Amino acid sequence: LAKMKFDSPILEFGTVVAGRRISNEFLFTNIGDAPLIIADVHSPCGCTVAKNWPKEAIQPGEGGVIIVEFDSTDRIGYQDKKIDVVTNSNPSITQLTLVGNVIGPDFIPGNLE
């Protein structure tokens, strides 16, 4: 079976001002013994999208990158965004996560305490 392993499946982006776009490259390796096929990468929230991922089979021992972008426009407060990576591995869905805090234009430094 193919098996996908991410270097770091969670991005903690800290605190950003609303309207900023956060982009991250999630690096992975196929640690299984069969070719890995990524069928889809998606998020239930339209503010988080996968921009790019390998469309060809990833051979055992090889890796790749999935680029994910989060648009913080109109997203004030704590954010915990999930991205499902659907593959032919076991388990068939692996989740990536982006977490952080989005502040608005009326932000007061004491709000973070």
Side-chain angles (χ1 to χ4, degrees):
L1 287 172
K3 184 163 177 67
M4 178 179 252
K5 181 176 188 316
F6 282 91
D7 289 357
S8 179
I10 299 172
L11 170 65
E12 295 182 18
F13 60 82
T15 300
V16 299
V17 176
R20 182 166 173 216
R21 291 180 185 268
I22 306 296
S23 184
N24 190 62
E25 295 183 349
F26 289 96
L27 305 173
F28 68 88
T29 304
N30 177 3
I31 61 170
D33 56 9
L36 173 71
I37 298 170
I38 300 173
D40 193 20
V41 181
H42 64 274
S43 173
C45 176
C47 64
T48 308
V49 296
K51 293 289 195 180
N52 192 18
W53 67 87
K55 307 297 191 269
E56 69 283 344
I58 313 307
Q59 298 303 314
E62 294 183 358
V65 176
I66 297 175
I67 299 172
V68 174
E69 186 176 273
F70 165 64
D71 182 356
S72 68
T73 302
D74 299 326
R75 305 280 173 196
I76 304 300
Y78 179 74
Q79 304 296 310
D80 184 352
K81 302 299 178 184
K82 307 289 187 201
I83 302 96
D84 290 336
V85 181
V86 182
T87 67
N88 65 328
S89 67
N90 188 8
S92 63
I93 297 177
T94 302
Q95 279 197 330
L96 302 174
T97 305
L98 288 92
V99 295
N101 193 31
V102 178
I103 57 175
D106 56 350
F107 169 74
I108 298 170
N111 291 351
L112 287 180
E113 299 176 348

